[in-house]
Structure formats: structure tokens, C-alpha cells
Amino acid sequence: RLASAFGVSRGPVREALQRLISDGLLVSIRNRGVFVAQLGADDIRDIYFMRRVLESEAFLQLQEHHEAVLVYQLRGIMYRMERSIRRSDWHQVGIDDMDFHRTVIDAVGSPRMTEVFGTLLAQSTICVMNLRTAYPEPQGLVDEHDRLVTQMQGDDPQALLQEVAWHMSSATDRLTELLEHGEDEVLQKA
């Protein structure tokens, strides 16, 4: 059906589906079809663990040498994120969040880091699209990113690593709580 909907042959569609399956975004169930992956709490913990590893190194590299234009780009993304929050456009907030982290990784200039991170980012997108309920006070999301940029501009690597670790662990905690307890219970606790 996808091939005819997009007016292409089945080969490219099969290849695209295989890539999405290998990236962990889709699952293939024999004799039933291909479905969007359902991530569990262990998946979320693992994704954010790997993100912490990569982003810690990226932020450390950038703390040593970053261009003023990077800070300008990151603050611009944070401004967009804040506007999206004011409009209650949670889908766009998720895109802005992912754009911030992709910009950090890309700034390092390592094609392999960018490639590995791309897979993690795609999997993170499934998690982050629940941002409204994961952030009952959404301004906290902008504040967290602001602290990351501020620490990157500073000269204390340990403080920067602590901020990255806190950012990733707080996201992991919020998302796993949402998954394990459901949206209504998480919002009632807020």
C-alpha cells in the first residue's frame, strides 16, 4: 500500500522499512505487518544512557573550543522552544528539543558521532513526543537547556558533566514514570 500511495516501486519502500526496523523505530511481526516500536522503561533508560555518554563527550569538546555562532544557534532554538511552549504546541517542542541536541552533536564535527546519535535521536523522538505530560511545568525544559549552554560556556568540566547527567537522568525519570504510571497519574502528582 505504501508503494502505491507514494507512487514508487516496492523495492525502495522495503529498503526504507528495513532501515527503520534496524534503527529500532519499527518492528516486523511475521504474517501481520510492520508496526511502530513500543518502547518500554528499559529501552528509555538505555537510550538516555547512550545519549548521556555521547552528549557528555560532545559538550566537553565544545567547552574547550566552540564558536560564538553555536551559542547563538542554541539560544535561538531555546527561544523557538519557549514560543512553542507558549502556544502549547507540544509536537513542535519535541522537535525543538531534538534540534537542540542534534546541533550540539553536529558542532563536534564527527561524522560517526552524528550517525550514531541520529539513530538514538530517532528512538528518542518516540519518547519525547510525550513532552507535555513529561513536563508538567514546561518552562523547566527551557531552563534545563539554558543551564547546559551556560555550563558549556564555562570552564568547569565537572560541573558541565553533572549538568548533562542531570538533564538526561531527569528526562529518563519523567519518561519512565509516564510510561509506568500513565499520563493521568503523572499530571495529578504535579
Side-chain angles (χ1 to χ4, degrees):
R1 283 186 273 168
L2 286 174
S4 63
F6 288 107
V8 298
S9 65
R10 286 195 227 162
V13 171
R14 258 190 245 116
E15 288 176 30
L17 290 174
Q18 281 306 116
R19 173 66 194 261
L20 293 171
I21 290 167
S22 72
D23 284 351
L25 299 175
L26 298 177
V27 292
S28 177
I29 300 175
R30 189 169 176 82
N31 298 324
R32 291 204 43 226
V34 177
F35 303 90
V36 174
Q38 298 296 311
L39 299 177
D42 289 340
D43 297 312
I44 291 169
R45 287 182 195 99
D46 192 41
I47 291 165
Y48 279 83
F49 165 74
M50 287 304 301
R51 283 191 55 190
R52 188 181 80 208
V53 169
L54 287 176
E55 291 190 54
S56 292
E57 183 59 31
F59 272 109
L60 284 175
Q61 294 288 320
L62 296 172
Q63 187 179 51
E64 289 181 22
H65 46 84
H66 65 272
E67 304 290 326
V69 70
L70 174 62
V71 173
Y72 180 78
Q73 287 175 315
L74 294 174
R75 295 222 182 268
I77 294 167
M78 290 164 34
Y79 175 74
R80 285 195 332 252
M81 188 183 299
E82 201 163 27
R83 286 182 45 216
S84 299
I85 290 168
R86 280 197 302 270
R87 291 190 318 266
S88 298
D89 185 348
W90 308 116
H91 178 76
Q92 186 60 46
V93 171
I95 292 169
D96 296 337
D97 184 28
M98 296 295 103
D99 193 27
F100 178 94
H101 294 280
R102 181 183 305 109
T103 300
V104 168
I105 294 294
D106 289 349
V108 172
S110 167
R112 286 179 181 84
M113 182 182 269
T114 296
E115 182 180 348
V116 169
F117 190 73
T119 299
L120 291 171
L121 200 60
Q123 294 171 352
S124 295
T125 300
I126 294 171
C127 303
V128 170
M129 288 306 147
N130 289 316
L131 265 182
R132 171 61 184 108
T133 50
Y135 283 93
E137 297 176 26
Q139 182 58 40
L141 181 62
V142 177
D143 295 341
E144 284 182 33
H145 288 84
D146 182 60
R147 288 192 305 270
L148 288 168
V149 173
T150 300
Q151 289 297 335
M152 181 188 75
Q153 291 179 282
D155 60 0
D156 185 350
Q158 288 306 311
L160 176 59
L161 289 174
Q162 287 175 340
E163 194 62 46
V164 173
W166 188 89
H167 182 68
M168 292 300 156
S169 67
S170 66
T172 302
D173 292 347
R174 286 188 298 267
L175 291 167
T176 55
E177 181 181 21
L178 178 63
L179 180 70
E180 292 170 348
H181 300 289
E183 179 177 0
D184 292 336
E185 186 176 326
V186 170
L187 287 175
Q188 286 174 358
K189 289 169 82 175

mmCIF file of all heavy atoms in Angstrom, residues 151-181:
data_model
loop_
_atom_site.group_PDB
_atom_site.id
_atom_site.type_symbol
_atom_site.label_atom_id
_atom_site.label_comp_id
_atom_site.label_asym_id
_atom_site.label_seq_id
_atom_site.Cartn_x
_atom_site.Cartn_y
_atom_site.Cartn_z
ATOM 1 N N GLN A 151 26.841 26.167 31.156
ATOM 2 C CA GLN A 151 27.969 25.335 31.597
ATOM 3 C C GLN A 151 28.955 25.093 30.455
ATOM 4 O O GLN A 151 30.159 25.054 30.678
ATOM 5 C CB GLN A 151 27.477 24.000 32.155
ATOM 6 C CG GLN A 151 26.776 24.108 33.487
ATOM 7 C CD GLN A 151 27.688 24.624 34.591
ATOM 8 O OE1 GLN A 151 28.901 24.497 34.546
ATOM 9 N NE2 GLN A 151 27.078 25.238 35.593
ATOM 10 N N MET A 152 28.452 24.944 29.229
ATOM 11 C CA MET A 152 29.342 24.755 28.084
ATOM 12 C C MET A 152 30.230 25.977 27.904
ATOM 13 O O MET A 152 31.401 25.858 27.548
ATOM 14 C CB MET A 152 28.528 24.514 26.809
ATOM 15 C CG MET A 152 29.371 24.283 25.562
ATOM 16 S SD MET A 152 28.380 24.246 24.053
ATOM 17 C CE MET A 152 28.006 25.991 23.845
ATOM 18 N N GLN A 153 29.709 27.155 28.181
ATOM 19 C CA GLN A 153 30.481 28.388 28.044
ATOM 20 C C GLN A 153 31.465 28.577 29.196
ATOM 21 O O GLN A 153 32.380 29.384 29.087
ATOM 22 C CB GLN A 153 29.547 29.593 27.991
ATOM 23 C CG GLN A 153 28.723 29.658 26.726
ATOM 24 C CD GLN A 153 27.803 30.852 26.746
ATOM 25 O OE1 GLN A 153 26.767 30.837 27.405
ATOM 26 N NE2 GLN A 153 28.203 31.897 26.026
ATOM 27 N N GLY A 154 31.282 27.843 30.281
ATOM 28 C CA GLY A 154 32.138 27.989 31.453
ATOM 29 C C GLY A 154 33.434 27.217 31.312
ATOM 30 O O GLY A 154 33.774 26.706 30.236
ATOM 31 N N ASP A 155 34.140 27.118 32.426
ATOM 32 C CA ASP A 155 35.446 26.445 32.401
ATOM 33 C C ASP A 155 35.559 25.335 33.438
ATOM 34 O O ASP A 155 36.644 24.968 33.850
ATOM 35 C CB ASP A 155 36.571 27.465 32.588
ATOM 36 C CG ASP A 155 36.468 28.223 33.909
ATOM 37 O OD1 ASP A 155 35.521 27.951 34.675
ATOM 38 O OD2 ASP A 155 37.323 29.087 34.152
ATOM 39 N N ASP A 156 34.410 24.783 33.838
ATOM 40 C CA ASP A 156 34.391 23.716 34.832
ATOM 41 C C ASP A 156 33.830 22.437 34.206
ATOM 42 O O ASP A 156 32.610 22.253 34.149
ATOM 43 C CB ASP A 156 33.549 24.148 36.035
ATOM 44 C CG ASP A 156 33.568 23.133 37.172
ATOM 45 O OD1 ASP A 156 34.066 22.003 36.981
ATOM 46 O OD2 ASP A 156 33.079 23.483 38.263
ATOM 47 N N PRO A 157 34.723 21.546 33.716
ATOM 48 C CA PRO A 157 34.239 20.322 33.061
ATOM 49 C C PRO A 157 33.364 19.458 33.961
ATOM 50 O O PRO A 157 32.389 18.859 33.481
ATOM 51 C CB PRO A 157 35.516 19.577 32.669
ATOM 52 C CG PRO A 157 36.616 20.567 32.775
ATOM 53 C CD PRO A 157 36.165 21.635 33.711
ATOM 54 N N GLN A 158 33.678 19.385 35.241
ATOM 55 C CA GLN A 158 32.882 18.554 36.141
ATOM 56 C C GLN A 158 31.461 19.090 36.292
ATOM 57 O O GLN A 158 30.499 18.324 36.310
ATOM 58 C CB GLN A 158 33.565 18.418 37.512
ATOM 59 C CG GLN A 158 34.791 17.538 37.477
ATOM 60 C CD GLN A 158 34.508 16.169 36.876
ATOM 61 O OE1 GLN A 158 33.554 15.488 37.235
ATOM 62 N NE2 GLN A 158 35.342 15.771 35.918
ATOM 63 N N ALA A 159 31.341 20.403 36.411
ATOM 64 C CA ALA A 159 30.007 20.999 36.516
ATOM 65 C C ALA A 159 29.209 20.744 35.236
ATOM 66 O O ALA A 159 28.001 20.471 35.285
ATOM 67 C CB ALA A 159 30.116 22.496 36.796
ATOM 68 N N LEU A 160 29.875 20.824 34.100
ATOM 69 C CA LEU A 160 29.220 20.551 32.816
ATOM 70 C C LEU A 160 28.748 19.100 32.755
ATOM 71 O O LEU A 160 27.604 18.824 32.395
ATOM 72 C CB LEU A 160 30.171 20.853 31.659
ATOM 73 C CG LEU A 160 29.666 20.521 30.256
ATOM 74 C CD1 LEU A 160 28.375 21.263 29.924
ATOM 75 C CD2 LEU A 160 30.747 20.823 29.224
ATOM 76 N N LEU A 161 29.613 18.167 33.133
ATOM 77 C CA LEU A 161 29.235 16.749 33.115
ATOM 78 C C LEU A 161 28.079 16.479 34.058
ATOM 79 O O LEU A 161 27.180 15.682 33.746
ATOM 80 C CB LEU A 161 30.434 15.875 33.469
ATOM 81 C CG LEU A 161 31.523 15.792 32.400
ATOM 82 C CD1 LEU A 161 32.720 15.005 32.933
ATOM 83 C CD2 LEU A 161 30.995 15.175 31.123
ATOM 84 N N GLN A 162 28.071 17.120 35.210
ATOM 85 C CA GLN A 162 26.965 16.946 36.154
ATOM 86 C C GLN A 162 25.659 17.459 35.572
ATOM 87 O O GLN A 162 24.604 16.849 35.745
ATOM 88 C CB GLN A 162 27.269 17.654 37.474
ATOM 89 C CG GLN A 162 28.311 16.946 38.306
ATOM 90 C CD GLN A 162 28.688 17.738 39.553
ATOM 91 O OE1 GLN A 162 28.477 18.934 39.637
ATOM 92 N NE2 GLN A 162 29.264 17.035 40.526
ATOM 93 N N GLU A 163 25.735 18.578 34.858
ATOM 94 C CA GLU A 163 24.522 19.147 34.256
ATOM 95 C C GLU A 163 23.980 18.235 33.155
ATOM 96 O O GLU A 163 22.773 18.013 33.059
ATOM 97 C CB GLU A 163 24.803 20.547 33.702
ATOM 98 C CG GLU A 163 23.563 21.329 33.385
ATOM 99 C CD GLU A 163 22.688 21.595 34.600
ATOM 100 O OE1 GLU A 163 23.206 22.002 35.657
ATOM 101 O OE2 GLU A 163 21.464 21.376 34.487
ATOM 102 N N VAL A 164 24.879 17.695 32.320
ATOM 103 C CA VAL A 164 24.445 16.770 31.271
ATOM 104 C C VAL A 164 23.820 15.531 31.915
ATOM 105 O O VAL A 164 22.743 15.081 31.502
ATOM 106 C CB VAL A 164 25.608 16.373 30.333
ATOM 107 C CG1 VAL A 164 25.182 15.280 29.360
ATOM 108 C CG2 VAL A 164 26.136 17.587 29.569
ATOM 109 N N ALA A 165 24.480 14.985 32.926
ATOM 110 C CA ALA A 165 23.958 13.793 33.603
ATOM 111 C C ALA A 165 22.593 14.083 34.227
ATOM 112 O O ALA A 165 21.665 13.266 34.114
ATOM 113 C CB ALA A 165 24.947 13.310 34.669
ATOM 114 N N TRP A 166 22.447 15.240 34.850
ATOM 115 C CA TRP A 166 21.171 15.594 35.475
ATOM 116 C C TRP A 166 20.084 15.730 34.404
ATOM 117 O O TRP A 166 18.962 15.241 34.586
ATOM 118 C CB TRP A 166 21.287 16.887 36.282
ATOM 119 C CG TRP A 166 20.048 17.136 37.074
ATOM 120 C CD1 TRP A 166 19.778 16.700 38.332
ATOM 121 C CD2 TRP A 166 18.884 17.849 36.630
ATOM 122 N NE1 TRP A 166 18.508 17.087 38.698
ATOM 123 C CE2 TRP A 166 17.945 17.795 37.678
ATOM 124 C CE3 TRP A 166 18.548 18.508 35.464
ATOM 125 C CZ2 TRP A 166 16.687 18.386 37.594
ATOM 126 C CZ3 TRP A 166 17.288 19.099 35.369
ATOM 127 C CH2 TRP A 166 16.381 19.034 36.437
ATOM 128 N N HIS A 167 20.413 16.389 33.306
ATOM 129 C CA HIS A 167 19.445 16.586 32.220
ATOM 130 C C HIS A 167 18.947 15.238 31.692
ATOM 131 O O HIS A 167 17.742 15.030 31.524
ATOM 132 C CB HIS A 167 20.101 17.407 31.102
ATOM 133 C CG HIS A 167 19.206 17.707 29.951
ATOM 134 N ND1 HIS A 167 18.119 18.554 30.041
ATOM 135 C CD2 HIS A 167 19.243 17.284 28.659
ATOM 136 C CE1 HIS A 167 17.523 18.629 28.855
ATOM 137 N NE2 HIS A 167 18.182 17.866 28.007
ATOM 138 N N MET A 168 19.869 14.317 31.453
ATOM 139 C CA MET A 168 19.487 13.004 30.908
ATOM 140 C C MET A 168 18.749 12.164 31.942
ATOM 141 O O MET A 168 17.760 11.504 31.618
ATOM 142 C CB MET A 168 20.730 12.257 30.401
ATOM 143 C CG MET A 168 21.373 12.881 29.186
ATOM 144 S SD MET A 168 20.241 12.934 27.790
ATOM 145 C CE MET A 168 20.959 14.277 26.857
ATOM 146 N N SER A 169 19.202 12.183 33.194
ATOM 147 C CA SER A 169 18.531 11.352 34.205
ATOM 148 C C SER A 169 17.154 11.905 34.541
ATOM 149 O O SER A 169 16.212 11.132 34.761
ATOM 150 C CB SER A 169 19.391 11.194 35.461
ATOM 151 O OG SER A 169 19.530 12.417 36.134
ATOM 152 N N SER A 170 16.991 13.227 34.531
ATOM 153 C CA SER A 170 15.660 13.769 34.815
ATOM 154 C C SER A 170 14.693 13.433 33.685
ATOM 155 O O SER A 170 13.530 13.110 33.936
ATOM 156 C CB SER A 170 15.716 15.277 35.071
ATOM 157 O OG SER A 170 16.098 15.975 33.918
ATOM 158 N N ALA A 171 15.171 13.476 32.434
ATOM 159 C CA ALA A 171 14.313 13.080 31.307
ATOM 160 C C ALA A 171 13.946 11.603 31.411
ATOM 161 O O ALA A 171 12.788 11.227 31.207
ATOM 162 C CB ALA A 171 15.021 13.366 29.979
ATOM 163 N N THR A 172 14.938 10.773 31.751
ATOM 164 C CA THR A 172 14.683 9.341 31.905
ATOM 165 C C THR A 172 13.639 9.095 32.988
ATOM 166 O O THR A 172 12.697 8.327 32.791
ATOM 167 C CB THR A 172 15.994 8.596 32.258
ATOM 168 O OG1 THR A 172 16.949 8.839 31.232
ATOM 169 C CG2 THR A 172 15.757 7.106 32.415
ATOM 170 N N ASP A 173 13.804 9.762 34.124
ATOM 171 C CA ASP A 173 12.864 9.581 35.234
ATOM 172 C C ASP A 173 11.444 9.994 34.843
ATOM 173 O O ASP A 173 10.481 9.274 35.116
ATOM 174 C CB ASP A 173 13.313 10.379 36.459
ATOM 175 C CG ASP A 173 14.580 9.847 37.087
ATOM 176 O OD1 ASP A 173 15.001 8.710 36.754
ATOM 177 O OD2 ASP A 173 15.182 10.572 37.906
ATOM 178 N N ARG A 174 11.330 11.154 34.208
ATOM 179 C CA ARG A 174 9.992 11.639 33.830
ATOM 180 C C ARG A 174 9.334 10.714 32.805
ATOM 181 O O ARG A 174 8.160 10.383 32.915
ATOM 182 C CB ARG A 174 10.084 13.058 33.274
ATOM 183 C CG ARG A 174 10.330 14.107 34.337
ATOM 184 C CD ARG A 174 10.218 15.511 33.763
ATOM 185 N NE ARG A 174 11.197 15.770 32.723
ATOM 186 C CZ ARG A 174 12.396 16.329 32.927
ATOM 187 N NH1 ARG A 174 12.763 16.676 34.143
ATOM 188 N NH2 ARG A 174 13.213 16.543 31.921
ATOM 189 N N LEU A 175 10.099 10.294 31.810
ATOM 190 C CA LEU A 175 9.525 9.451 30.753
ATOM 191 C C LEU A 175 9.188 8.054 31.246
ATOM 192 O O LEU A 175 8.149 7.498 30.876
ATOM 193 C CB LEU A 175 10.479 9.394 29.557
ATOM 194 C CG LEU A 175 10.604 10.716 28.791
ATOM 195 C CD1 LEU A 175 11.789 10.664 27.833
ATOM 196 C CD2 LEU A 175 9.319 11.054 28.055
ATOM 197 N N THR A 176 10.034 7.469 32.084
ATOM 198 C CA THR A 176 9.711 6.132 32.606
ATOM 199 C C THR A 176 8.531 6.205 33.570
ATOM 200 O O THR A 176 7.693 5.302 33.586
ATOM 201 C CB THR A 176 10.928 5.461 33.276
ATOM 202 O OG1 THR A 176 11.449 6.307 34.291
ATOM 203 C CG2 THR A 176 11.999 5.127 32.262
ATOM 204 N N GLU A 177 8.444 7.286 34.347
ATOM 205 C CA GLU A 177 7.291 7.430 35.237
ATOM 206 C C GLU A 177 6.009 7.552 34.419
ATOM 207 O O GLU A 177 4.992 6.938 34.741
ATOM 208 C CB GLU A 177 7.453 8.653 36.140
ATOM 209 C CG GLU A 177 6.294 8.838 37.096
ATOM 210 C CD GLU A 177 6.428 10.056 37.990
ATOM 211 O OE1 GLU A 177 7.178 10.985 37.659
ATOM 212 O OE2 GLU A 177 5.747 10.064 39.030
ATOM 213 N N LEU A 178 6.058 8.311 33.358
ATOM 214 C CA LEU A 178 4.904 8.460 32.485
ATOM 215 C C LEU A 178 4.495 7.115 31.897
ATOM 216 O O LEU A 178 3.320 6.762 31.869
ATOM 217 C CB LEU A 178 5.231 9.449 31.358
ATOM 218 C CG LEU A 178 4.163 9.693 30.315
ATOM 219 C CD1 LEU A 178 2.935 10.324 30.948
ATOM 220 C CD2 LEU A 178 4.708 10.578 29.215
ATOM 221 N N LEU A 179 5.476 6.346 31.460
ATOM 222 C CA LEU A 179 5.203 5.039 30.867
ATOM 223 C C LEU A 179 4.634 4.065 31.892
ATOM 224 O O LEU A 179 3.667 3.359 31.633
ATOM 225 C CB LEU A 179 6.493 4.465 30.269
ATOM 226 C CG LEU A 179 6.366 3.105 29.610
ATOM 227 C CD1 LEU A 179 5.556 3.226 28.326
ATOM 228 C CD2 LEU A 179 7.735 2.538 29.312
ATOM 229 N N GLU A 180 5.235 4.058 33.074
ATOM 230 C CA GLU A 180 4.845 3.075 34.086
ATOM 231 C C GLU A 180 3.558 3.435 34.819
ATOM 232 O O GLU A 180 2.827 2.550 35.257
ATOM 233 C CB GLU A 180 5.985 2.889 35.083
ATOM 234 C CG GLU A 180 7.195 2.216 34.452
ATOM 235 C CD GLU A 180 8.444 2.217 35.331
ATOM 236 O OE1 GLU A 180 8.470 2.937 36.346
ATOM 237 O OE2 GLU A 180 9.393 1.492 34.972
ATOM 238 N N HIS A 181 3.261 4.725 34.966
ATOM 239 C CA HIS A 181 2.110 5.127 35.774
ATOM 240 C C HIS A 181 1.001 5.782 34.979
ATOM 241 O O HIS A 181 -0.075 6.019 35.518
ATOM 242 C CB HIS A 181 2.549 6.069 36.903
ATOM 243 C CG HIS A 181 3.530 5.429 37.827
ATOM 244 N ND1 HIS A 181 3.179 4.437 38.709
ATOM 245 C CD2 HIS A 181 4.862 5.613 37.973
ATOM 246 C CE1 HIS A 181 4.251 4.049 39.381
ATOM 247 N NE2 HIS A 181 5.288 4.737 38.949
#
